[in-house]
Amino acid sequence: MSFFRTYKKSELKSVHGAEPGEQRWPFVQVGLPTPIYLMQLERAVEEDATIDYEILTADLAELVNFSEGRYPPLRLVSVDLLISIPPVSRRTFHALREVWVPPQGGAYRFIVDDQVTLDFNPLQNRFDPDALQCIFRAPAA
């Protein structure tokens, strides 16, 4: 089972059609081409048992916090990326291996499952590729 956390200000409320006791996940409208991260997390509940979670976020800072272990006992296991990059008008889904950001923010570099590098620069500013720092690295499979 997957759990997707949403922010109250972005939820579109709709209770129509809900059955008694049924929980409906809200729909969230996200503008293009904002990258969306699907983070797979796990939490140990017993010596040999874990609970898996999936959290959907568009906030890179939240990904950084999970990658640095700031929300124990949750541990970041892997990250997927949902993004739309011109000239592609539809979103594509990628398993992320590495995420890179410059020290002062602005542009991101994603190294995805097929070893393709995606650069996302929403501010359209110049950035030095040598200044990029890895904030998330997927564990070796």
Side-chain angles (χ1 to χ4, degrees), residues 79-81 94-101 108-120 132 134 136-138:
V79 179
D80 296 315
L81 175 70
H94 308 272
L96 287 185
R97 297 294 172 245
E98 298 179 4
V99 180
W100 297 74
V101 295
Y108 320 140
R109 171 167 290 173
F110 306 104
I111 300 176
V112 300
D113 49 0
D114 51 4
Q115 302 306 308
V116 172
T117 300
L118 304 175
D119 290 328
F120 180 71
L132 292 171
C134 186
F136 169 79
R137 186 184 304 274

Side-chain angles (χ1 to χ4, degrees), residues 32-35 60 101-108 119-127:
L32 296 175
T34 303
L60 183 64
V101 295
Q104 299 303 317
Y108 320 140
D119 290 328
F120 180 71
N121 188 7
L123 301 179
Q124 298 299 309
N125 56 350
R126 295 186 62 175
F127 67 97

Side-chain angles (χ1 to χ4, degrees), residues 2 14 25-26 33 35 45 52 56 67 76-77 89 94 101-102 119 123:
S2 298
S14 176
W25 294 109
V45 291
D52 294 331
L56 190 66
S67 71
L76 183 65
V77 176
S89 60
H94 308 272
V101 295
D119 290 328
L123 301 179

Side-chain angles (χ1 to χ4, degrees), residues 3 9 11 18 28 39 42 44-45 50-51 59 66 75 90 106 109 113 115 117-118 120 134 136-138 141:
F3 296 90
K9 64 183 179 182
E11 291 179 1
V28 178
M39 300 181 291
E42 68 178 16
V45 291
T50 59
I51 296 178
D59 186 358
F66 277 108
R75 185 178 74 85
R90 62 178 176 79
R109 171 167 290 173
D113 49 0
Q115 302 306 308
T117 300
L118 304 175
F120 180 71
C134 186
F136 169 79
R137 186 184 304 274

